[in-house]
Amino acid sequence: MSCCSSVFTPQVQKKLSRVYVDIIPERSGELLRSSLQRMLCSSECPQDYTLEINMETSERALEMGEDAKITLMHVVLKAFFTLKHCHKSIYQGQAVAYYYRALTPSFYGQTSTQFYISQEGAQQLAHQIFLKLGNFFSRTKKLQQNSTKSLR
């Protein structure tokens, strides 16, 4: 998904391009922020909106191999986001991605799997957030149009 190219109308795309993605701590947060910035094209336009995101990662063991050296882990990545306009919260949401990974004695295997989950998770979360923001801007535009029509 390249810069602002989506199924959204040009008006919604313009609103999306005015969203600034605030700093997100840690490596997975940097990856998520980078993915969102590419989708939103926020660096080229004036920034009227601020997107704040808090990430949470949880893991739990699901099964252990017979040799007690391999464990299957269930990984859940969550991004809780708040869209603000003029320091006022106007929309909140959550994006979730699920993964499984094996914990093995191999340091390389664990490191590469964790890197994959971080990269892929950031892209999935960014895609979900992008769509939710686009739908929000699309709905608010329709609500404004409907309220204007009803006043006439």
Side-chain angles (χ1 to χ4, degrees):
M1 188 181 271
S2 65
C3 181
C4 298
S5 64
S6 68
V7 294
F8 298 119
T9 65
Q11 295 86 358
V12 171
Q13 290 178 18
K14 185 176 179 181
K15 292 240 184 194
L16 287 169
S17 71
R18 294 176 175 262
V19 175
Y20 168 75
V21 183
D22 205 5
I23 304 287
I24 310 168
E26 299 184 19
R27 176 72 179 143
S28 55
E30 292 173 17
L31 294 169
L32 175 56
R33 184 172 189 253
S34 177
S35 293
L36 274 168
Q37 285 176 320
R38 280 192 306 277
M39 290 178 179
L40 298 170
C41 299
S42 57
S43 62
E44 298 174 10
C45 301
Q47 297 153 350
D48 297 330
Y49 303 93
T50 301
L51 184 64
E52 296 177 351
I53 301 174
N54 293 313
M55 291 189 64
E56 179 182 291
T57 303
S58 60
E59 295 183 348
R60 67 184 168 110
L62 295 180
E63 87 181 43
M64 184 176 289
E66 291 178 20
D67 59 359
K69 292 183 180 176
I70 298 176
T71 304
L72 183 62
M73 300 292 287
H74 181 238
V75 181
V76 180
L77 305 171
K78 293 182 182 178
F80 304 95
F81 62 92
T82 303
L83 183 66
K84 293 185 175 186
H85 180 65
C86 299
H87 303 290
K88 181 181 176 187
S89 176
I90 59 171
Y91 180 63
Q92 293 182 331
Q94 173 183 331
V96 182
Y98 302 95
Y99 293 92
Y100 295 93
R101 72 181 181 112
L103 285 180
T104 65
S106 164
F107 177 76
Y108 173 77
Q110 287 187 44
T111 305
S112 61
T113 302
Q114 189 61 40
F115 178 76
Y116 168 78
I117 289 174
S118 295
Q119 285 282 106
E120 183 66 25
Q123 291 174 3
Q124 278 194 27
L125 294 173
H127 184 70
Q128 289 178 40
I129 292 170
F130 178 81
L131 292 175
K132 288 180 180 191
L133 290 176
N135 287 331
F136 167 75
F137 284 130
S138 182
R139 279 194 322 265
T140 56
K141 181 75 172 163
K142 288 176 187 173
L143 291 174
Q144 289 173 354
Q145 288 173 346
N146 290 339
S147 65
T148 305
K149 287 178 186 176
S150 65
L151 292 175
R152 292 181 189 169

mmCIF file with all atom_site columns, all heavy atoms in Angstrom, residues 3-15:
data_model
loop_
_atom_site.group_PDB
_atom_site.id
_atom_site.type_symbol
_atom_site.label_atom_id
_atom_site.label_alt_id
_atom_site.label_comp_id
_atom_site.label_asym_id
_atom_site.label_entity_id
_atom_site.label_seq_id
_atom_site.pdbx_PDB_ins_code
_atom_site.Cartn_x
_atom_site.Cartn_y
_atom_site.Cartn_z
_atom_site.occupancy
_atom_site.B_iso_or_equiv
_atom_site.pdbx_formal_charge
_atom_site.auth_seq_id
_atom_site.auth_comp_id
_atom_site.auth_asym_id
_atom_site.auth_atom_id
_atom_site.pdbx_PDB_model_num
ATOM 1  N N   . CYS A 1 3  ? 1.831   5.366  -0.495 1.00 0.00 ? 3  CYS A N   1
ATOM 2  C CA  . CYS A 1 3  ? 1.450   6.633  0.099  1.00 0.00 ? 3  CYS A CA  1
ATOM 3  C C   . CYS A 1 3  ? 0.026   7.071  -0.244 1.00 0.00 ? 3  CYS A C   1
ATOM 4  O O   . CYS A 1 3  ? -0.240  7.520  -1.337 1.00 0.00 ? 3  CYS A O   1
ATOM 5  C CB  . CYS A 1 3  ? 2.471   7.661  -0.357 1.00 0.00 ? 3  CYS A CB  1
ATOM 6  S SG  . CYS A 1 3  ? 2.208   9.272  0.288  1.00 0.00 ? 3  CYS A SG  1
ATOM 7  N N   . CYS A 1 4  ? -0.871  6.938  0.699  1.00 0.00 ? 4  CYS A N   1
ATOM 8  C CA  . CYS A 1 4  ? -2.247  7.433  0.591  1.00 0.00 ? 4  CYS A CA  1
ATOM 9  C C   . CYS A 1 4  ? -3.067  6.811  -0.528 1.00 0.00 ? 4  CYS A C   1
ATOM 10 O O   . CYS A 1 4  ? -4.186  7.243  -0.763 1.00 0.00 ? 4  CYS A O   1
ATOM 11 C CB  . CYS A 1 4  ? -2.272  8.950  0.445  1.00 0.00 ? 4  CYS A CB  1
ATOM 12 S SG  . CYS A 1 4  ? -1.588  9.812  1.833  1.00 0.00 ? 4  CYS A SG  1
ATOM 13 N N   . SER A 1 5  ? -2.525  5.855  -1.278 1.00 0.00 ? 5  SER A N   1
ATOM 14 C CA  . SER A 1 5  ? -3.339  5.253  -2.331 1.00 0.00 ? 5  SER A CA  1
ATOM 15 C C   . SER A 1 5  ? -4.220  4.201  -1.685 1.00 0.00 ? 5  SER A C   1
ATOM 16 O O   . SER A 1 5  ? -3.742  3.253  -1.102 1.00 0.00 ? 5  SER A O   1
ATOM 17 C CB  . SER A 1 5  ? -2.460  4.643  -3.420 1.00 0.00 ? 5  SER A CB  1
ATOM 18 O OG  . SER A 1 5  ? -1.702  3.599  -2.911 1.00 0.00 ? 5  SER A OG  1
ATOM 19 N N   . SER A 1 6  ? -5.503  4.426  -1.758 1.00 0.00 ? 6  SER A N   1
ATOM 20 C CA  . SER A 1 6  ? -6.424  3.521  -1.090 1.00 0.00 ? 6  SER A CA  1
ATOM 21 C C   . SER A 1 6  ? -7.773  3.581  -1.774 1.00 0.00 ? 6  SER A C   1
ATOM 22 O O   . SER A 1 6  ? -7.962  4.253  -2.771 1.00 0.00 ? 6  SER A O   1
ATOM 23 C CB  . SER A 1 6  ? -6.559  3.916  0.375  1.00 0.00 ? 6  SER A CB  1
ATOM 24 O OG  . SER A 1 6  ? -7.222  5.161  0.476  1.00 0.00 ? 6  SER A OG  1
ATOM 25 N N   . VAL A 1 7  ? -8.722  2.905  -1.183 1.00 0.00 ? 7  VAL A N   1
ATOM 26 C CA  . VAL A 1 7  ? -10.081 2.928  -1.687 1.00 0.00 ? 7  VAL A CA  1
ATOM 27 C C   . VAL A 1 7  ? -10.834 4.137  -1.153 1.00 0.00 ? 7  VAL A C   1
ATOM 28 O O   . VAL A 1 7  ? -11.994 4.320  -1.473 1.00 0.00 ? 7  VAL A O   1
ATOM 29 C CB  . VAL A 1 7  ? -10.827 1.625  -1.293 1.00 0.00 ? 7  VAL A CB  1
ATOM 30 C CG1 . VAL A 1 7  ? -10.217 0.438  -1.984 1.00 0.00 ? 7  VAL A CG1 1
ATOM 31 C CG2 . VAL A 1 7  ? -10.845 1.450  0.208  1.00 0.00 ? 7  VAL A CG2 1
ATOM 32 N N   . PHE A 1 8  ? -10.199 4.961  -0.352 1.00 0.00 ? 8  PHE A N   1
ATOM 33 C CA  . PHE A 1 8  ? -10.846 6.119  0.227  1.00 0.00 ? 8  PHE A CA  1
ATOM 34 C C   . PHE A 1 8  ? -10.930 7.270  -0.777 1.00 0.00 ? 8  PHE A C   1
ATOM 35 O O   . PHE A 1 8  ? -10.107 7.384  -1.679 1.00 0.00 ? 8  PHE A O   1
ATOM 36 C CB  . PHE A 1 8  ? -10.108 6.579  1.489  1.00 0.00 ? 8  PHE A CB  1
ATOM 37 C CG  . PHE A 1 8  ? -10.090 5.543  2.575  1.00 0.00 ? 8  PHE A CG  1
ATOM 38 C CD1 . PHE A 1 8  ? -8.895  5.041  3.048  1.00 0.00 ? 8  PHE A CD1 1
ATOM 39 C CD2 . PHE A 1 8  ? -11.273 5.062  3.121  1.00 0.00 ? 8  PHE A CD2 1
ATOM 40 C CE1 . PHE A 1 8  ? -8.874  4.082  4.047  1.00 0.00 ? 8  PHE A CE1 1
ATOM 41 C CE2 . PHE A 1 8  ? -11.260 4.103  4.115  1.00 0.00 ? 8  PHE A CE2 1
ATOM 42 C CZ  . PHE A 1 8  ? -10.063 3.610  4.581  1.00 0.00 ? 8  PHE A CZ  1
ATOM 43 N N   . THR A 1 9  ? -11.904 8.117  -0.577 1.00 0.00 ? 9  THR A N   1
ATOM 44 C CA  . THR A 1 9  ? -12.093 9.278  -1.448 1.00 0.00 ? 9  THR A CA  1
ATOM 45 C C   . THR A 1 9  ? -10.914 10.241 -1.306 1.00 0.00 ? 9  THR A C   1
ATOM 46 O O   . THR A 1 9  ? -10.195 10.194 -0.306 1.00 0.00 ? 9  THR A O   1
ATOM 47 C CB  . THR A 1 9  ? -13.387 10.024 -1.077 1.00 0.00 ? 9  THR A CB  1
ATOM 48 O OG1 . THR A 1 9  ? -13.236 10.550 0.244  1.00 0.00 ? 9  THR A OG1 1
ATOM 49 C CG2 . THR A 1 9  ? -14.599 9.121  -1.165 1.00 0.00 ? 9  THR A CG2 1
ATOM 50 N N   . PRO A 1 10 ? -10.739 11.135 -2.265 1.00 0.00 ? 10 PRO A N   1
ATOM 51 C CA  . PRO A 1 10 ? -9.656  12.116 -2.152 1.00 0.00 ? 10 PRO A CA  1
ATOM 52 C C   . PRO A 1 10 ? -9.756  12.980 -0.892 1.00 0.00 ? 10 PRO A C   1
ATOM 53 O O   . PRO A 1 10 ? -8.736  13.347 -0.305 1.00 0.00 ? 10 PRO A O   1
ATOM 54 C CB  . PRO A 1 10 ? -9.816  12.975 -3.418 1.00 0.00 ? 10 PRO A CB  1
ATOM 55 C CG  . PRO A 1 10 ? -10.470 12.061 -4.395 1.00 0.00 ? 10 PRO A CG  1
ATOM 56 C CD  . PRO A 1 10 ? -11.388 11.189 -3.582 1.00 0.00 ? 10 PRO A CD  1
ATOM 57 N N   . GLN A 1 11 ? -10.983 13.282 -0.448 1.00 0.00 ? 11 GLN A N   1
ATOM 58 C CA  . GLN A 1 11 ? -11.146 14.080 0.773  1.00 0.00 ? 11 GLN A CA  1
ATOM 59 C C   . GLN A 1 11 ? -10.639 13.321 1.996  1.00 0.00 ? 11 GLN A C   1
ATOM 60 O O   . GLN A 1 11 ? -9.986  13.897 2.866  1.00 0.00 ? 11 GLN A O   1
ATOM 61 C CB  . GLN A 1 11 ? -12.623 14.470 0.991  1.00 0.00 ? 11 GLN A CB  1
ATOM 62 C CG  . GLN A 1 11 ? -13.194 15.383 -0.057 1.00 0.00 ? 11 GLN A CG  1
ATOM 63 C CD  . GLN A 1 11 ? -13.743 14.628 -1.268 1.00 0.00 ? 11 GLN A CD  1
ATOM 64 O OE1 . GLN A 1 11 ? -13.680 13.401 -1.357 1.00 0.00 ? 11 GLN A OE1 1
ATOM 65 N NE2 . GLN A 1 11 ? -14.265 15.379 -2.231 1.00 0.00 ? 11 GLN A NE2 1
ATOM 66 N N   . VAL A 1 12 ? -10.943 12.032 2.062  1.00 0.00 ? 12 VAL A N   1
ATOM 67 C CA  . VAL A 1 12 ? -10.476 11.207 3.181  1.00 0.00 ? 12 VAL A CA  1
ATOM 68 C C   . VAL A 1 12 ? -8.962  11.044 3.099  1.00 0.00 ? 12 VAL A C   1
ATOM 69 O O   . VAL A 1 12 ? -8.260  11.133 4.109  1.00 0.00 ? 12 VAL A O   1
ATOM 70 C CB  . VAL A 1 12 ? -11.189 9.837  3.209  1.00 0.00 ? 12 VAL A CB  1
ATOM 71 C CG1 . VAL A 1 12 ? -10.556 8.905  4.226  1.00 0.00 ? 12 VAL A CG1 1
ATOM 72 C CG2 . VAL A 1 12 ? -12.678 10.019 3.487  1.00 0.00 ? 12 VAL A CG2 1
ATOM 73 N N   . GLN A 1 13 ? -8.435  10.840 1.898  1.00 0.00 ? 13 GLN A N   1
ATOM 74 C CA  . GLN A 1 13 ? -6.989  10.717 1.728  1.00 0.00 ? 13 GLN A CA  1
ATOM 75 C C   . GLN A 1 13 ? -6.278  11.992 2.182  1.00 0.00 ? 13 GLN A C   1
ATOM 76 O O   . GLN A 1 13 ? -5.217  11.930 2.788  1.00 0.00 ? 13 GLN A O   1
ATOM 77 C CB  . GLN A 1 13 ? -6.648  10.409 0.267  1.00 0.00 ? 13 GLN A CB  1
ATOM 78 C CG  . GLN A 1 13 ? -7.059  9.020  -0.150 1.00 0.00 ? 13 GLN A CG  1
ATOM 79 C CD  . GLN A 1 13 ? -6.770  8.745  -1.616 1.00 0.00 ? 13 GLN A CD  1
ATOM 80 O OE1 . GLN A 1 13 ? -5.982  9.436  -2.252 1.00 0.00 ? 13 GLN A OE1 1
ATOM 81 N NE2 . GLN A 1 13 ? -7.406  7.722  -2.155 1.00 0.00 ? 13 GLN A NE2 1
ATOM 82 N N   . LYS A 1 14 ? -6.891  13.137 1.904  1.00 0.00 ? 14 LYS A N   1
ATOM 83 C CA  . LYS A 1 14 ? -6.301  14.411 2.330  1.00 0.00 ? 14 LYS A CA  1
ATOM 84 C C   . LYS A 1 14 ? -6.257  14.493 3.854  1.00 0.00 ? 14 LYS A C   1
ATOM 85 O O   . LYS A 1 14 ? -5.259  14.928 4.434  1.00 0.00 ? 14 LYS A O   1
ATOM 86 C CB  . LYS A 1 14 ? -7.108  15.581 1.759  1.00 0.00 ? 14 LYS A CB  1
ATOM 87 C CG  . LYS A 1 14 ? -6.502  16.927 2.042  1.00 0.00 ? 14 LYS A CG  1
ATOM 88 C CD  . LYS A 1 14 ? -7.287  18.036 1.369  1.00 0.00 ? 14 LYS A CD  1
ATOM 89 C CE  . LYS A 1 14 ? -6.657  19.373 1.691  1.00 0.00 ? 14 LYS A CE  1
ATOM 90 N NZ  . LYS A 1 14 ? -7.410  20.484 1.084  1.00 0.00 ? 14 LYS A NZ  1
ATOM 91 N N   . LYS A 1 15 ? -7.342  14.064 4.515  1.00 0.00 ? 15 LYS A N   1
ATOM 92 C CA  . LYS A 1 15 ? -7.354  14.058 5.994  1.00 0.00 ? 15 LYS A CA  1
ATOM 93 C C   . LYS A 1 15 ? -6.296  13.100 6.531  1.00 0.00 ? 15 LYS A C   1
ATOM 94 O O   . LYS A 1 15 ? -5.594  13.418 7.475  1.00 0.00 ? 15 LYS A O   1
ATOM 95 C CB  . LYS A 1 15 ? -8.734  13.667 6.505  1.00 0.00 ? 15 LYS A CB  1
ATOM 96 C CG  . LYS A 1 15 ? -9.783  14.692 6.236  1.00 0.00 ? 15 LYS A CG  1
ATOM 97 C CD  . LYS A 1 15 ? -10.362 15.168 7.508  1.00 0.00 ? 15 LYS A CD  1
ATOM 98 C CE  . LYS A 1 15 ? -11.493 16.127 7.182  1.00 0.00 ? 15 LYS A CE  1
ATOM 99 N NZ  . LYS A 1 15 ? -11.888 16.876 8.315  1.00 0.00 ? 15 LYS A NZ  1
#
